[in-house]
Amino acid sequence: MKSPSTSAVPLPNRALLGTLLMANILMATRISLSRSILIQPLYCPFSLTSPKHLSKSRPCPLWSTSFSLCLQSVKSTSRRRVSFRSFSAVATAPKMAEIVDNPLLKGFVFPPFDAVEAGHVRPGVRSLLKELESELGELERQVEPTWPKLVEPLEKIIDRLAVVWGIVNHLKAVKDTPELRSAIEEVQPEKVEFELKLGQSKPIYNAFRAIKESPDWETLSEARKRIVDGENLTQIKEAVLSGVSLEDDKREEFNKIQQELAKLSQKFDENVLDATKKFEKLITDKKDIEGLPSTFLGSAAQTAVSKGHENANAENGPWVITLDGPSFMSVMQHARNRSLREEVYLAYVTRASSGELDNTGIIDQILKLRLEKAKLLGYNNYAEVSMATKMATVEKAEELLEKLRSASWTAAISDMDELKQFSKDQGAPEANDLSHWDISFWSERLRESKYEINEEELRPYFSLPKVMDGLFSLAKMLFGIHIEPADGLAPVIFSLPCPRVWNNDVRFYCIKDSSGSPTAYFYFDPYSRPSEKRGGAWMDEVVARSRVFSPDGVSARLPVAHMVCNQMPPVGDKPSLMTFREVETVFHEFGHALQHMLTKQDEGLVAGIRGIEWDAVELPSQFMENWCYHRDTLMSIAKHYETGESLPEDIYKKLLAARTFRAGSLSLRQLKFATVDLELHTKYVPGGSESIYDIDRRVSERTQVIPPLPEDRFLSGFSHIFAGGYAAGYYSYKWAEVLSADAFSAFEDAGLHDEKAVTETGHKFRETILALGGGKAPLEVFVEFRGREPSPEPLLRHNGLLPVTASA
């Protein structure tokens, strides 16, 4: 499958869903992590990194208050000019020894992550591409409009490239080195050229059309019809969006654009990573770290040790502050030193906006090329291309964002007035002139005052081992699955080779059904490693469930996933102690993983997270976050790591009360990101009178209570839309929240204290939302689960906004 681009075809019931979404006037959302499809990871709404996939993929949002960070797999880029002759003819042929001993080319059950090195990438990928090109040529010569002669061999080609490229890109995301980066950059154009050749194959395109027009069409399963020519994500539409209908010069121009976009997006992402790593603030004076929690100071001292300060410790320092998620947020929320907050904030919002890492020109080029691509495909702008494979249309997305913006504005103004008054009451000299680096700090103090909750004081109650135990117990109750550690036990217990990991902190698990049979596996990489690992959190597939890749000719190949987070690692004898927001992040990513792993769809092209419309894919992830506020679930994970004491009942009630704290402001922040995304992909004219930063400031006038600083360049770090799958799609987080909140309301209706009813509802959720994958239209899947079409009422209620809406 290729990254989309065709005219928006209305979905059945789309208008009604749009109406329901529009009614969600006061939706204040917290966004979470996201995910990726074929070759890309799922990312979350508020992280500043993202990527893309063989067919489609997505990144995650920017720094969100829910700390749901997202990333996406990365596209590699090359700075050299690409020759559009066949790479198989011009590339240096790999030597036989490089192929025979290459772990990327050997058969494996679980990828040999620990054995793959940068030196394996060039010969491995080139050898694979040569082989796949031969198979593609054979398929085109012998293609027949039947499933065994068309779809199955096509899936094998797509899947093999996805798995190998997925390994390489995953390692770049979690174990980045200059050598690996260089190797990926060199072979990226060759991989892109092959994808273009595959996506633009007229014999394959015509064969799919012949299947659609054949007398046997009505006998195909719903999943197979979706693969061929469903409503949005289909082989026929994807081929058109890949340029199959373009001829001669236009096709050559389209292909050049695709190559250049791949390079530019990769370079954008690398600049963000390098700019993030470049900033280090060494602190030696205790006065400068006043207010910062002990957990952070331990981590900052640990970072200092890794930088050569051998005697650094939490008590006496020195401490090193970085722009990595846990470090940045700790400073913003807790540092009493206002000048330190200012310095770190400015470093963050100006990342990759100057010098050799400047992304400004790259953004202009990306937007220019996306517009040219849209025009070639017959669209007015790139947003129309993006929406061609989504549930929404440009108009419906814009309408939703404006409704929510106007509804959130007054609440956000009230939030700011309250914050100013509170800081003034506390004697803050900056009370009458709060700036951006003051908001998070004083918001935390206000939250502590109103609800008597201190996130840092809650950390001891949320140790990673206990959180994972509680999460797995919840999954057992809801979905009837058992999750077991399988790190070193695989050979003995599962008669499979031992999983090989990329870092010693990575854990490996097996999911079993009620009979004890394995149904899926997943890796979990929880800790921040700023020197080699991208920030944020994401889930992605390693391999997907597939009948075509059956190991025994009977049962489908089992899915394997990986989940990646970036929380503080253990310090000394203490386990990793999490903030409540980080707990939500883990639940979020696990929701994505569940949809990938619990699929019962055997058609590999629409199994798990494949083939699901982008603006529906956040449903399971956001759904899982709701359980963090469920009393029994929370109490099962909230145990003091030293005493075993449960979280006090009054603290639980305060957490519930604080759930809607500053809801208007948080909603407005998300709306700003989504609105500027659509503005840039609908109205911005590259090279025109307005710069990208002019657009950002214009949007900010309607979406930010405090105007952005003149030096603010957050767009230069907005990887979601410039290095991932969220281009003209950031609105998806809002769209999917209606679905996820309504899905959770089914459990509320059943009775959250009735374990039997919850289990029965969980089984139904598993058999629909989690099991059907992309084999059925998302609205139809939702109706099958809920018994009706979605309502915005549960979301409004969860955000404490229903009374306001009702009175309005």
Side-chain angles (χ1 to χ4, degrees), residues 214-230:
S214 75
D216 297 330
W217 172 251
E218 293 304 325
T219 67
L220 293 183
S221 67
E222 187 170 12
R224 291 189 171 186
K225 285 182 179 178
R226 280 266 292 177
I227 289 171
V228 176
D229 191 27

Side-chain angles (χ1 to χ4, degrees), residues 505-703:
D505 290 329
V506 177
R507 300 275 68 87
F508 185 74
Y509 298 93
C510 173
I511 292 184
K512 295 181 177 181
D513 61 22
S514 56
S515 70
S517 300
T519 60
Y521 303 90
F522 70 98
Y523 301 83
F524 181 41
D525 184 355
Y527 308 132
S528 170
R529 297 188 298 275
S531 63
E532 64 177 10
K533 183 180 177 182
R534 284 185 174 79
W538 65 94
M539 168 271 160
D540 203 357
E541 70 173 45
V542 179
V543 299
R545 183 180 176 91
S546 172
R547 172 185 53 82
V548 168
F549 288 92
S550 168
D552 56 12
V554 179
S555 55
R557 177 183 68 182
L558 298 183
V560 182
H562 59 64
M563 287 169 51
V564 182
C565 293
N566 266 286
Q567 62 201 55
M568 286 185 190
V571 177
D573 295 332
K574 292 182 180 179
S576 175
L577 301 178
M578 307 167 67
T579 65
F580 184 68
R581 293 185 179 107
E582 288 169 338
V583 173
E584 291 177 293
T585 293
V586 170
F587 273 62
H588 178 106
E589 293 310 320
F590 191 64
H592 284 307
L594 285 171
Q595 189 169 39
H596 174 66
M597 296 187 293
L598 298 189
T599 184
K600 292 188 176 180
Q601 179 57 255
D602 288 341
E603 296 294 343
L605 293 178
V606 289
I609 56 178
R610 295 182 177 187
I612 298 176
E613 281 78 347
W614 201 262
D615 39 12
V617 80
E618 292 298 325
L619 194 168
S621 55
Q622 293 176 343
F623 162 82
M624 286 300 295
E625 290 183 48
N626 287 283
W627 293 99
C628 295
Y629 294 90
H630 176 233
R631 186 188 179 283
D632 292 346
T633 299
L634 185 64
M635 290 305 186
S636 74
I637 65 177
K639 307 284 186 183
H640 197 283
Y641 80 101
E642 289 178 315
T643 67
E645 172 194 2
S646 295
L647 185 75
E649 182 70 24
D650 63 321
I651 298 296
Y652 165 67
K653 291 179 179 177
K654 290 170 182 175
L655 275 174
L656 282 184
R659 188 176 184 180
T660 57
F661 177 60
R662 292 178 58 78
S665 298
L666 304 186
S667 176
L668 209 57
R669 180 173 176 78
Q670 277 299 97
L671 292 167
K672 184 264 174 81
F673 297 146
T675 304
V676 75
D677 171 33
L678 281 185
E679 286 277 329
L680 289 172
H681 289 102
T682 54
K683 301 178 177 64
Y684 174 65
V685 179
S689 58
E690 281 189 309
S691 72
I692 56 172
Y693 300 116
D694 290 333
I695 295 285
D696 182 40
R697 280 187 285 273
R698 177 157 56 76
V699 169
S700 296
E701 290 175 2
R702 300 181 292 116
T703 56

Side-chain angles (χ1 to χ4, degrees), residues 4 70 161 194 306 340 347 372 375 399 469 481 649 786 790:
C70 314
L161 179 58
F194 174 76
S306 71
L340 175 63
E372 291 176 3
K375 299 286 188 180
E399 185 180 351
D469 286 346
I481 58 176
E649 182 70 24
R786 199 67 180 93

